[in-house]
């Protein structure tokens, strides 16, 4: 069979999972994307992966974000053409699709990259059982009869021995307004799908403020620094409403 010059014949086993990862991450660095493809057993060759991303970029399914200061690697975002290709393959979301007026804003880049780093760290230690992204959660919340009360940054299942434990993950890079935190408190109090919510922050000052804002919530909440968690994972010492001096996060999940 002959194809038109410069046309792209997509590989459902490799191209679609790659585009799906970019969509669900909102933003992802070149290095992180390669790690995800390695983790899923889809690309072990650096040269093969580089060739694949160049094809998808050249065909307009991916784009490179201009703001990459301090990252050291190109950062990708899916395009409307890439979303249309995913939809053609049966991968549709109600919150990010080919007719979405605005694609994810570049102000979310560092937020997305930190979440990617946490997901990869869990996967690297064979702790990750399932990761449901904010894109998937928000989409599910629009159609589910029993939605989550928030569009969490992720809902995560981890292995603790031979058992699974589930928690919602929120990453707080900047502080919200008092009115926004009031809405967060109401949502957390009404949550019935999730038993534990882990709040990670970009600094100690934000962590302390967040503990103060949410101390009245009866839900099991844990607080930690994002960089610490990316290194220690389930061994991270977290602050909780019951243990202000801290406890191991893995013990809290049990």
């Amino acid at each position: 069979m002959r194809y038109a010059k410069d046309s792209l014949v997509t590989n459902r086993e490799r191209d679609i999972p790659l585009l799906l990862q970019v969509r669900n991450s909102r933003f992802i660095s070149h290095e992180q994307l390669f790690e995800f493809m390695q983790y899923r057993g889809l690309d072990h060759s650096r040269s093969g992966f580089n060739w694949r991303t160049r094809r998808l970029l050249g065909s307009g399914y991916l784009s490179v974000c201009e703001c990459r200061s301090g990252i050291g690697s190109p950062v990708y975002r899916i395009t409307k053409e890439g979303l249309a290709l995913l939809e053609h393959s049966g991968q549709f979301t109600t919150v990010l699709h080919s007719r979405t007026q605005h694609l994810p804003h570049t102000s979310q880049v560092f937020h997305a990259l930190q979440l990617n780093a946490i997901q990869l760290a869990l996967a690297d230690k064979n702790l990750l059982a399932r990761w449901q992204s904010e894109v998937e959660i928000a989409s599910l919340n629009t159609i589910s009869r029993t939605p989550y009360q928030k569009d969490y940054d992720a809902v995560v299942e981890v292995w603790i021995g031979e058992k699974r434990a589930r928690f919602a993950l929120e990453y707080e890079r900047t502080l919200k307004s008092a009115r926004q935190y009031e809405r967060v408190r109401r949502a957390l109090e009404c949550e019935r799908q999730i038993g534990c919510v882990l709040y990670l922050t970009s600094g100690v000052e934000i962590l302390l403020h967040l503990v103060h804002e949410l101390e009245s919530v009866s839900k099991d909440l844990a607080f930690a620094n994002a960089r610490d968690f990316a290194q220690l994972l389930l061994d991270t010492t977290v602050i909780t409403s019951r243990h202000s001096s801290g406890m191991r996060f893995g013990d809290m999940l049990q």
Side-chain angles (χ1 to χ4, degrees):
M1 180 182 294
R2 299 184 64 182
Y3 298 96
K5 184 179 179 181
D6 298 327
S7 66
L8 174 68
V9 180
T10 55
N11 183 319
R12 289 186 60 88
E13 285 70 37
R14 295 192 178 188
D15 294 338
I16 298 303
L18 188 151
L19 290 172
L20 195 59
Q21 182 63 60
V22 179
R23 185 200 70 184
N24 290 345
S25 293
R26 293 190 182 270
F27 294 94
I28 190 167
S29 73
H30 183 83
E31 292 302 316
Q32 288 177 335
L33 187 54
F34 181 51
E35 288 185 56
F36 275 114
M37 294 304 100
Q38 283 184 305
Y39 168 64
R40 295 195 170 96
L42 299 173
D43 255 318
H44 296 293
S45 164
R46 170 76 68 169
S47 60
F49 169 76
N50 291 343
W51 170 80
R52 187 173 305 285
T53 54
R54 283 197 302 270
R55 286 171 61 247
L56 294 170
L57 283 164
S59 299
Y61 296 127
L62 294 177
S63 65
V64 178
C65 300
E66 294 181 2
C67 59
R68 46 183 283 195
S69 175
I71 297 171
S73 171
V75 174
Y76 302 130
R77 175 176 60 187
I78 198 164
T79 64
K80 291 186 178 182
E81 290 77 11
L83 290 168
L85 180 59
L86 285 179
E87 290 158 13
H88 181 68
S89 301
Q91 301 288 345
F92 177 83
T93 67
T94 61
V95 297
L96 184 56
H97 51 82
S98 57
R99 294 187 179 182
T100 299
Q101 188 172 1
H102 300 291
L103 293 174
H105 194 271
T106 52
S107 62
Q108 302 173 0
V109 165
F110 290 101
H111 184 274
L113 295 183
Q114 182 63 69
L115 289 169
N116 294 338
I118 291 167
Q119 185 179 0
L120 285 167
L122 288 167
D124 183 60
K125 298 300 182 182
N126 296 317
L127 294 171
L128 186 63
R130 186 180 183 224
W131 181 284
Q132 193 175 17
S133 72
E134 189 268 341
V135 170
E136 296 169 301
I137 293 166
S139 181
L140 180 65
N141 280 346
T142 64
I143 60 175
S144 175
R145 292 184 178 180
T146 55
Y148 298 119
Q149 295 300 311
K150 282 181 91 284
D151 293 341
Y152 298 105
D153 287 328
V155 172
V156 187
E157 291 185 23
V158 293
W159 291 106
I160 299 181
E162 296 183 354
K163 296 183 178 180
R164 290 189 181 200
R166 188 173 71 147
F167 62 94
L169 175 63
E170 291 279 74
Y171 174 43
E172 205 89 348
R173 286 192 69 247
T174 58
L175 292 175
K176 296 181 173 68
S177 68
R179 182 174 295 180
Q180 287 174 309
Y181 281 121
E182 176 58 33
R183 289 199 293 267
V184 169
R185 287 191 292 270
R186 288 200 301 267
L188 292 174
E189 288 290 1
C190 294
E191 183 60 76
R192 297 294 179 266
Q193 306 289 334
I194 296 292
C196 173
V197 181
L198 172 64
Y199 272 91
L200 300 179
T201 68
S202 58
V204 175
E205 294 82 1
I206 295 178
L207 188 151
L208 294 175
H209 184 84
L210 199 58
V211 170
H212 173 71
E213 286 285 354
L214 302 180
E215 63 184 353
S216 64
V217 177
S218 60
K219 179 73 60 180
D220 281 341
L221 305 181
F223 305 87
N225 185 282
R227 289 187 179 180
D228 292 341
F229 188 82
Q231 293 180 347
L232 299 173
L233 303 173
L234 302 188
D235 289 327
T236 304
T237 298
V238 297
I239 297 173
T240 74
S241 56
R242 301 173 187 174
H243 298 84
S244 57
S245 60
M247 68 179 299
R248 180 178 171 274
F249 184 57
D251 293 336
M252 180 179 179
L253 290 178
Q254 289 180 311

